[in-house]
Amino acid sequence: MTDWFVARLSALGRPFVDALIKVGFATRFFFTLLLHSSTAFRRAGLTIREIYFSGVQSLIIILVSGLFVGMVLGLQFFEQLQRFGATETVGVVVALSLLRELGPVVAGLLFASRAGSAMTAEIGLMKTTEQLVAMEMMAVDPVARVVAPRFWAGVISMPMLAILFSTMGIIGGYLVCVKLIGVDAGAFWGQMQSSVDMRDDVINGVIKSVVFGLAVSLIAVFEGYEAEPTAEGVSGATTRTVVTSSLVILGLDFVLTAFMFRGI
């Protein structure tokens, strides 16, 4: 009976131990990545090409999503504020919602789904086809040549995409509230200008997106580099990138919001 209980208890704790071991490997991989990051900056062409791949090619989904999210926010907030006769503040509410929360978070989730999964699949495929082994045989470090440029491209691209998402969201809110519903344009922009703080709202939102970019890029390149060299292994690694990145973004958002806006 005692042996059975210990075996069951061990089985329950195994996923936690496995997750802890994986975090340890990811931490060691992160420091290895930092040690080899000089190549990514010395050969800027590699990083710029990856910025185009992960950032520029994600523009369409970011811009369109930002526009529709802003339009929905404009409609919803106008309906609620109309009950209290405060429709002139709808621009402030839309802007703060986007700059503080929805811009970094939704852009991060979209970035993980589009660029993060692609980074994992690309590195995993290179491992499956033994391109990474071939580089090692030619005395080329795959972490410096393949992983580091993709990682830093993600870190650089993510804040820019979040800013563009929030900008398009504000434009969407303006189109719905001012052009469609008829809110005064002066009140929409004037209230926003007087109430949105550059440091507390804009800069903190950018800091959030930088942290999300670091987390998503690290998860993407780590999962790709550690993927099993099979089709199923690459598929599983890609799925783990999207799921893990999404959960990490939401968890980090809670922690950062508590520190930045609640002073905990």
Side-chain angles (χ1 to χ4, degrees), residues 1-236:
M1 182 64 182
T2 304
D3 293 340
W4 178 87
F5 180 74
V6 171
R8 294 294 95 187
L9 193 62
S10 175
L12 287 175
R14 175 54 56 187
F16 176 74
V17 173
D18 290 343
L20 207 58
I21 291 173
K22 195 164 187 177
V23 170
F25 279 119
T27 304
R28 188 181 65 178
F29 181 78
F30 176 64
F31 286 109
T32 304
L33 181 59
L34 292 182
L35 288 175
H36 293 83
S37 291
S38 59
T39 302
F41 297 107
R42 193 167 58 248
R43 301 179 65 181
L46 295 174
T47 307
I48 292 172
R49 188 179 64 186
E50 296 305 325
I51 289 174
Y52 174 79
F53 175 74
S54 61
V56 177
Q57 293 193 356
S58 301
L59 274 178
I60 295 299
I61 187 173
I62 290 291
L63 296 178
V64 174
S65 301
L67 183 67
F68 283 123
V69 168
M71 294 171 76
V72 170
L73 287 178
L75 278 176
Q76 293 283 4
F77 286 136
F78 179 83
E79 291 296 327
Q80 298 302 318
L81 292 171
Q82 194 176 30
R83 300 179 182 179
F84 306 100
T87 54
E88 69 276 2
T89 62
V90 67
V92 179
V93 181
V94 170
L96 291 180
S97 301
L98 287 163
L99 293 170
R100 285 186 170 196
E101 294 297 330
L102 291 177
V105 171
V106 178
L109 295 175
L110 293 172
F111 181 77
S113 302
R114 194 268 164 198
S117 60
M119 277 194 277
T120 300
E122 193 176 14
I123 296 173
L125 187 61
M126 292 177 76
K127 186 176 183 180
T128 304
T129 54
E130 298 185 346
Q131 294 180 54
L132 301 184
V133 175
M135 286 183 185
E136 290 177 347
M137 292 177 67
M138 291 185 292
V140 176
D141 192 328
V143 175
R145 179 67 176 74
V146 174
V147 177
R150 286 166 175 76
F151 172 77
W152 287 111
V155 175
I156 294 169
S157 300
M158 180 59 223
M160 298 181 183
L161 293 174
I163 291 171
L164 290 173
F165 183 95
S166 298
T167 304
M168 287 303 296
I170 292 172
I171 293 173
Y174 169 80
L175 292 176
V176 168
C177 295
V178 177
K179 298 296 184 183
L180 184 64
I181 299 177
V183 174
D184 182 68
F188 185 91
W189 293 116
Q191 291 281 341
M192 190 187 302
Q193 186 178 8
S194 61
S195 300
V196 174
D197 185 81
M198 175 60 75
R199 186 179 65 84
D200 289 340
D201 302 320
V202 179
I203 300 299
N204 280 340
V206 173
I207 291 172
K208 272 188 178 183
S209 62
V210 172
V211 175
F212 296 163
L214 278 167
V216 172
S217 301
L218 177 61
I219 291 169
V221 296
F222 175 73
E223 290 290 353
Y225 198 75
E226 294 295 324
E228 290 184 21
T230 61
E232 292 80 6
V234 176
S235 173

